[in-house]
Amino acid sequence: MHLINISDKPQWFLAISPEGKVPVLKNDDKWVSDSDVITGILEEKYPDPSLKTPPEFASVGSKIFGTFVTFLKSKDSSDGSEKALLDELEALETHLKTHDGPFIAGGKVSAVDLSLAPKLYHLKVALGHYKSWSVPESLPHVHGYMKALFSLDSFEKTKTEERYVIAGWEHKVNP
């Protein structure tokens, strides 16, 4: 498999996002790359339907990405990084099981879901590729959540191809 070198970002993109961050949104004449700021701008300009996450749900899943990265980079199977990720996924499972899903705040997608979707996608693709690892079947609500997120029209239209996800993590896995 030929991996893409994402350090060769197009100059037009680096002109609008010098750090290479995504997502980016053009607001008036300024480019914004902070996801929380982007959400606020979109909420203000397009209040219906609201994507605001109820405050009590704002931190749900907030440690998943960090534990995923630690586990992905780990070369020591006994360092506890896999367990830390599983603990976070189990906490998400418990939350989803005890609320009227399929989303974090219930039946309606919110900003926290849209923030978790690409993180869970990267988790699925990168861990599957580099560690032959997948979310355990013992977490059916997490599987259902990921399926619901990944089938959103907005996600389908904007997701990164798997080969780019794999290439993007290459330098973290094999520095």
Side-chain angles (χ1 to χ4, degrees), residues 127-164:
L127 289 178
H129 179 80
Y130 290 109
K131 293 199 178 255
S132 298
W133 189 95
S134 60
V135 174
E137 293 300 320
S138 60
L139 303 174
H141 291 87
V142 173
H143 278 277
Y145 178 61
M146 291 170 66
K147 185 177 179 181
L149 290 174
F150 299 165
S151 66
L152 291 170
D153 190 49
S154 60
F155 185 82
E156 279 291 323
K157 288 180 177 177
T158 61
K159 74 178 178 184
T160 304
E161 290 181 41
E162 288 188 11
R163 64 187 175 134
Y164 295 121

Side-chain angles (χ1 to χ4, degrees), residues 60-113:
V60 173
S62 64
K63 295 180 184 175
I64 289 174
F65 191 72
T67 57
F68 147 63
V69 172
T70 301
F71 176 48
L72 180 65
K73 291 167 51 176
S74 172
K75 304 290 186 206
D76 178 2
S77 62
S78 64
D79 67 1
S81 60
E82 181 179 15
K83 178 162 179 1
L85 175 59
L86 285 170
D87 288 348
E88 292 306 317
L89 291 171
E90 286 168 3
L92 178 60
E93 175 76 11
T94 299
H95 175 87
L96 293 167
K97 191 180 341 183
T98 57
H99 292 79
D100 295 327
F103 301 109
I104 297 290
K108 190 173 135 202
V109 70
S110 67
V112 71
D113 301 303

Side-chain angles (χ1 to χ4, degrees), residues 110-124:
S110 67
V112 71
D113 301 303
L114 298 178
S115 174
L116 275 173
K119 295 169 184 171
L120 291 169
Y121 180 68
H122 278 246
L123 178 152
K124 175 182 176 263

